[in-house]
């Protein structure tokens, strides 16, 4: 329907998340991302998936063939683009395909440029999608409850480091049904380390969780039904007055954004400013974006 609407005969996709969504397939070629290295070329009669054929077992190959999906080796994509008939029109997203690939097209092939239809389609969660995400969040929440129960019992009784936090939280997630992997390297950061975006503790450099302060935990899991990204901040001992003030400023920002009513289609920086306004009012700011999507 999208090809017809755009007046295109063919559609070429080079973005891995769009391909994974469109074919409902998952892989493990990129760390923490359930995607596989591939290309797709589609017209009204056929869909061709270009992937290293050794990754596709006989059962999956049979399912894809029943759905009318032709498999070709990943290395054959240039030849396939060269086979697009002269005079045909090809829909592409210019921001998501390289010029080198498009140079394989015949000179008479017309490019129809625009967003891949899958980009918007996969952002609109169906009721089934939403239910899968809810189940993933429930399992992840159970893992967090197990972890925090351990943390409460272990504080003051055993040596805990940022690395220990990572180990115990990962182990709790691993025990949940449908768990696949982490969705990114766990960030467990105590006091000053928590002020560094995307901090990661190492064997050589990490903090021991002791004394007073704030423990930041930013972590997530990949489950068969969805992906989680969870941030929690835990007081250890007695936080300082400055830390209490910072937590209050952040809470005010959360409340301001939660209460905001805004028009459909508003640009996200305008909402970002609502979240920052109570923090700016006290002459401070934070060097990071505000939030991101779920799913």
């Amino acid at each position: 329907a999208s090809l017809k609407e755009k007046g295109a005969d063919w559609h070429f996709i080079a973005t891995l998340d769009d391909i994974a969504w469109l074919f409902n397939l998952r892989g493990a070629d990129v760390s923490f991302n359930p995607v596989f290295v591939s290309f797709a070329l589609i017209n009204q009669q056929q869909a061709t998936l270009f992937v290293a054929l050794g990754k596709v077992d006989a059962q999956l190959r049979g399912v894809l063939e029943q759905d009318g999906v032709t498999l070709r080796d990943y290395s054959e994509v240039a030849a396939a683009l060269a086979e697009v008939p002269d005079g045909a029109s090809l829909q592409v997203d210019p921001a998501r395909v390289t010029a080198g690939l498009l140079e394989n097209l015949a000179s008479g092939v017309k490019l129809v440029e625009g967003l891949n239809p899958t980009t918007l389609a996969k952002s609109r969660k169906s009721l089934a999608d939403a239910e899968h995400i809810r189940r993933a969040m429930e399992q992840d929440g159970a893992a967090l409850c197990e972890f925090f129960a351990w943390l409460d019992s272990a504080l003051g009784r055993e040596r805990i480091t940022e690395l220990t936090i990572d180990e115990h939280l990962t182990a709790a997630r691993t025990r949940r049904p449908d768990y696949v992997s982490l969705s990114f390297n766990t960030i467990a950061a105590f006091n000053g380390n928590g002020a560094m975006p995307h901090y990661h503790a190492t064997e050589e450099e990490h903090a021991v969780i002791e004394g007073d302060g704030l423990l930041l935990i930013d972590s997530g899991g990949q489950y068969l039904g969805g992906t989680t990204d969870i941030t929690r901040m835990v007081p250890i001992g007695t936080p300082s007055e400055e830390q209490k003030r910072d937590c209050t400023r952040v809470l005010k920002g959360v409340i301001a954004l939660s209460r905001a009513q805004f028009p459909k289609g508003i640009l996200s920086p305008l909402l970002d400013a609502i979240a920052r306004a109570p923090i700016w009012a006290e002459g401070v700011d934070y060097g990071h974006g505000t939030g991101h999507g779920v799913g």
Side-chain angles (χ1 to χ4, degrees):
S2 175
L3 287 174
K4 191 173 181 181
E5 178 186 340
K6 298 286 186 182
D9 305 306
W10 297 78
H11 180 32
F12 179 62
I13 311 176
T15 38
L16 305 188
D17 52 332
D18 285 313
I19 293 170
W21 183 89
L22 182 62
F23 290 87
N24 197 24
L25 297 173
R26 302 293 182 266
D29 288 345
V30 181
S31 297
F32 308 124
N33 286 273
V35 296
F36 54 99
V37 176
S38 55
F39 296 105
L41 185 61
I42 299 162
N43 66 14
Q44 293 290 2
Q45 287 75 41
Q46 66 189 76
T48 304
L49 183 62
F50 300 87
V51 61
L53 297 179
K55 297 177 183 177
V56 185
D57 62 28
Q59 180 183 5
L60 177 56
R61 184 186 293 266
V63 170
L64 291 171
E65 287 174 353
Q66 285 181 355
D67 285 342
V69 177
T70 301
L71 289 178
R72 291 180 65 173
D73 191 75
Y74 181 78
S75 62
E76 295 180 32
V77 66
L81 288 171
E83 294 163 6
V84 174
D86 205 2
S89 56
L90 177 73
Q91 182 175 350
V92 295
D93 185 337
R96 292 172 172 82
V97 63
T98 63
L101 279 170
L102 298 182
E103 285 175 357
N104 292 289
L105 295 167
S107 58
V109 173
K110 176 190 173 187
L111 294 183
V112 178
E113 297 186 346
L115 274 179
N116 289 327
T118 42
T119 301
L120 289 177
K122 68 188 178 67
S123 74
R124 295 168 180 153
K125 307 305 182 192
S126 68
L127 292 177
D129 289 331
E131 186 56 34
H132 283 305
I133 293 170
R134 287 189 187 98
R135 288 201 204 106
M137 294 297 297
E138 287 170 358
Q139 293 300 335
D140 207 63
L144 282 168
C145 288
E146 180 185 330
F147 163 77
F148 280 119
W150 165 81
L151 182 62
D152 284 344
S153 65
L155 278 172
R157 293 185 177 88
E158 58 185 270
R159 187 174 187 271
I160 303 174
T161 71
E162 293 168 338
L163 297 175
T164 315
I165 298 289
D166 187 356
E167 291 167 5
H168 279 266
L169 183 50
T170 299
R173 282 194 167 100
T174 302
R175 289 188 280 271
R176 304 313 304 174
D178 295 336
Y179 171 81
V180 178
S181 70
L182 296 180
S183 51
F184 54 93
N185 280 320
T186 297
I187 299 169
F190 188 53
N191 280 342
N193 292 341
M196 294 189 283
H198 307 140
Y199 166 81
H200 183 62
T202 64
E203 290 287 351
E204 296 73 29
E205 291 190 36
H206 60 268
V208 178
I209 314 302
E210 60 184 2
D212 298 325
L214 300 177
L215 171 63
L216 170 71
I217 302 173
D218 188 357
S219 66
Q222 296 274 8
Y223 298 83
L224 290 181
T227 302
T228 68
D229 183 347
I230 307 296
T231 305
R232 295 290 182 269
M233 191 274 297
V234 184
I236 304 295
T238 305
S240 68
E241 289 304 311
E242 181 184 10
Q243 288 170 333
K244 291 177 182 178
R245 283 195 298 271
D246 282 341
C247 290
T248 303
R249 289 162 178 157
V250 172
L251 177 59
K252 287 179 178 179
V254 171
I255 291 172
L257 184 56
S258 299
R259 296 183 63 194
Q261 290 186 324
F262 49 88
K264 182 179 180 179
I266 194 170
L267 298 179
S268 56
L270 299 177
L271 296 178
D272 180 280
I274 293 173
R276 290 179 193 266
I279 301 170
W280 287 340
E282 299 195 36
V284 291
D285 196 12
Y286 58 93
H288 201 287
T290 304
H292 45 71
V294 175

